[in-house]
């Protein structure tokens, strides 16, 4: 099918024209109740089209909910969605369905109401004239047609007049397509979201993206740590061939896996948005669990904690736990069961953390790291802190400073 004929097969073309025609209801109602308009002239029709303007302007300025009503109707009829064989739907139309929140919104709504009023009058006039012309052409092939009310003169009675019938129909269809698109564009401009609504939508979208990033990071840290501990423990147990050590390794794998499952369930509960509140994630008060898991994997962990961990705010403590978890995971994954020194200090409004471990022999450090190290730096940055990772003094070092306020 030629491209220019495609709009004629889409239901949206006709729903848009119907939406435009509905705008003529108020002027036509005014015409019916106006006394003395038995045979209105062109000037009378112009007066009828202009007469309701003060009424619709007053309604738009005084009734904030009118903007919502117009927005919902525009979404339904100007952007009807997939069933009309067009891409997109009313949700993605950019049309606001919120009541007017400012005088600027009310003025835009008033302008839209006036535009729709006058466009409806023009659409009704064009539709009546072109359909009347079509019927007159058909009638003039047999007997003189009734041309009263038509502003365009027709040819005299002639059987060949039937050949001109497609012309007014084609013009009407073209006007429907073009007029509907113009009204759709005007609706986006006048009924679209205000700057305040756009900012709120942008903030909501940003929050959603940040939440998705946070969830992905937590899953990476938790599941990655559990799998790393399981792999290291299983390998050590097989190499040791000691039933007692194997029992300890299986216990560590079980405990770490259970903790990872709890984290996974908590994250999935957030994604499902259950009515039950999602439990809070682990904090630095639960750091012993991480350290014991690393020790059970064969690492010699030397820990020093100074300052009251219970005074650390919840968000900072939870992020500190994840940073420590990822740091220990990197040690086990890349260096194996090596000595690890962990320092945690709380004081002067700052949470300081340091994790150091010897570098494996013959492995030149690049300092770039992967997604785990990048996640550590991102977590620190989001809290207004700073994290540095890289080799130094023969060790791999992770230094983190997070503000407590």
């Amino acid at each position: 099918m030629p491209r220019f004929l495609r709009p004629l097969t889409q239901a949206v073309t006709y729903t848009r024209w119907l939406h435009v025609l509905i705008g003529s209801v108020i002027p036509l109602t005014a015409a019916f109740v106006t006394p003395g308009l038995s045979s209105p002239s062109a000037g009378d029709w112009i007066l009828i089209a202009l007469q309701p303007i003060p009424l619709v302007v007053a309604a738009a300025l005084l009734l904030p909910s009118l903007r919502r009503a117009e927005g919902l109707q525009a979404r339904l009829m100007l952007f009807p969605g997939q069933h009309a064989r067009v891409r997109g739907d009313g949700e993605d139309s950019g049309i606001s369905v919120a009541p007017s929140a400012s005088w600027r919104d009310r003025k835009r709504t008033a302008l839209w109401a006036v535009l729709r009023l006058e466009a409806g009058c023009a659409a009704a006039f064009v539709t009546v004239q072109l359909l009347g012309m079509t019927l007159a052409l058909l009638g003039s092939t047999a007997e003189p047609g009734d041309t009263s009310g038509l502003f365009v003169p027709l040819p005299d009675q002639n059987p060949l007049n039937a050949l001109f019938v497609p012309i007014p129909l084609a013009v009407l269809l073209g006007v429907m397509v073009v007029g509907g698109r113009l009204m759709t564009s005007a609706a986006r401009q006048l009924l679209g979201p205000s700057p305040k609504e756009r900012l709120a939508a942008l903030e909501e979208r940003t929050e959603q993206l940040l939440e998705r990033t946070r969830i992905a990071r937590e899953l990476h840290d938790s599941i990655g740590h559990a799998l790393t501990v399981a792999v290291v423990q299983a390998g050590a147990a097989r190499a040791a061939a000691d039933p007692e050590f194997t029992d300890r390794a299986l216990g560590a794998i079980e405990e770490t896996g259970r903790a990872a499952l709890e984290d996974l369930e908590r994250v999935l509960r957030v994604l499902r948005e259950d009515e039950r509140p999602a439990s809070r994630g682990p904090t630095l008060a639960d750091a012993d669990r991480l350290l014991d898991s690393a020790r059970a994997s064969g690492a010699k962990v030397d820990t020093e904690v100074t300052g009251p961990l219970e005074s650390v705010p919840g968000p900072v403590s939870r992020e500190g736990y994840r940073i420590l978890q990822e740091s220990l995971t990197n040690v086990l994954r890349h260096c194996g069961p090596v000595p690890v020194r962990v320092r945690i200090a709380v004081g002067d409004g700052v949470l300081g953390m340091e994790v150091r471990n010897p570098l494996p022999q013959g492995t030149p450090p690049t300092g770039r790291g992967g997604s785990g190290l990048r996640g550590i730096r991102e977590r620190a940055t989001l809290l207004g802190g700073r994290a540095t990772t890289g080799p130094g003094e023969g060790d791999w070092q992770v230094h983190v400073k997070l503000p407590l306020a």
Side-chain angles (χ1 to χ4, degrees), residues 40 52 54 64 66 89 98 135 147 150 188 194 200 208 214 221 231 242 250 260 264 273 288 298 315 327 340 344 381:
L66 183 63
D89 54 35
L135 295 175
T147 59
L150 298 181
R188 286 196 177 100
S194 63
Q208 291 176 350
R214 185 187 66 80
D221 293 349
V231 170
D242 182 358
L250 291 175
L264 180 61
E273 297 181 350
D288 289 342
S327 300
V340 184
I344 304 175
T381 301

Side-chain angles (χ1 to χ4, degrees), residues 151-211:
F151 289 85
V152 179
L154 296 177
D156 297 333
Q157 180 180 359
N158 191 326
L160 296 179
N161 286 345
L163 298 177
F164 297 98
V165 169
I167 295 178
L169 291 178
V171 173
L172 177 59
L173 292 174
V175 172
M176 289 171 60
V177 173
V178 176
R181 290 180 177 177
L182 291 177
M183 287 298 291
T184 301
S185 178
R188 286 196 177 100
Q189 295 296 322
L190 299 177
L191 296 179
S194 63
K196 183 178 180 180
E197 292 173 333
R198 289 193 182 97
L199 181 59
L202 180 61
E203 291 178 349
E204 182 180 358
R205 176 61 176 166
T206 302
E207 289 295 330
Q208 291 176 350
L209 292 177
L210 289 176
E211 181 68 10

Side-chain angles (χ1 to χ4, degrees), residues 26-50:
I26 295 178
L28 292 178
T29 303
F32 291 146
V33 300
T34 300
L37 286 181
S38 57
S39 299
S41 63
D44 293 331
W45 283 115
I46 294 176
L47 179 62
I48 290 171
L50 299 178

Side-chain angles (χ1 to χ4, degrees), residues 216-290:
R217 192 187 298 121
E218 286 203 8
L219 284 178
H220 170 272
D221 293 349
S222 180
I223 304 302
H225 176 76
L227 292 177
T228 299
V229 170
V231 170
V232 172
Q233 291 281 4
R238 184 175 59 179
D242 182 358
E244 184 177 353
F245 182 84
T246 300
D247 289 341
R248 290 199 305 270
L250 291 175
I253 292 174
E254 180 183 5
E255 181 180 356
T256 306
R258 185 180 293 110
L261 287 176
E262 291 176 359
D263 287 340
L264 180 61
E265 175 63 24
R266 178 176 54 81
V267 171
L268 292 179
R269 189 176 301 168
V270 172
L271 292 177
R272 290 194 300 264
E273 297 181 350
D274 285 349
E275 294 181 358
R276 295 176 298 170
S279 59
R280 293 290 185 179
T283 64
L284 285 175
D286 307 306
D288 289 342
R289 186 173 67 183
L290 288 177

Side-chain angles (χ1 to χ4, degrees), residues 333-371:
R333 181 182 299 161
H334 300 291
C335 302
V338 298
V340 184
R341 187 170 66 181
V342 178
R343 299 290 182 266
I344 304 175
V346 180
D348 298 329
V350 175
L351 169 64
M353 299 178 59
E354 179 188 53
V355 180
R356 303 181 60 156
N357 64 276
L359 287 168
Q361 297 293 331
T363 303
T366 63
R368 294 190 298 269
S371 59

Side-chain angles (χ1 to χ4, degrees), residues 122-162:
F125 174 79
V126 171
T127 301
V128 170
Q129 290 292 315
L130 292 176
L131 289 180
M133 189 180 301
T134 302
L135 295 175
L137 286 172
L138 288 174
S140 64
T141 60
E143 57 184 20
D146 183 7
T147 59
S148 60
L150 298 181
F151 289 85
V152 179
L154 296 177
D156 297 333
Q157 180 180 359
N158 191 326
L160 296 179
N161 286 345

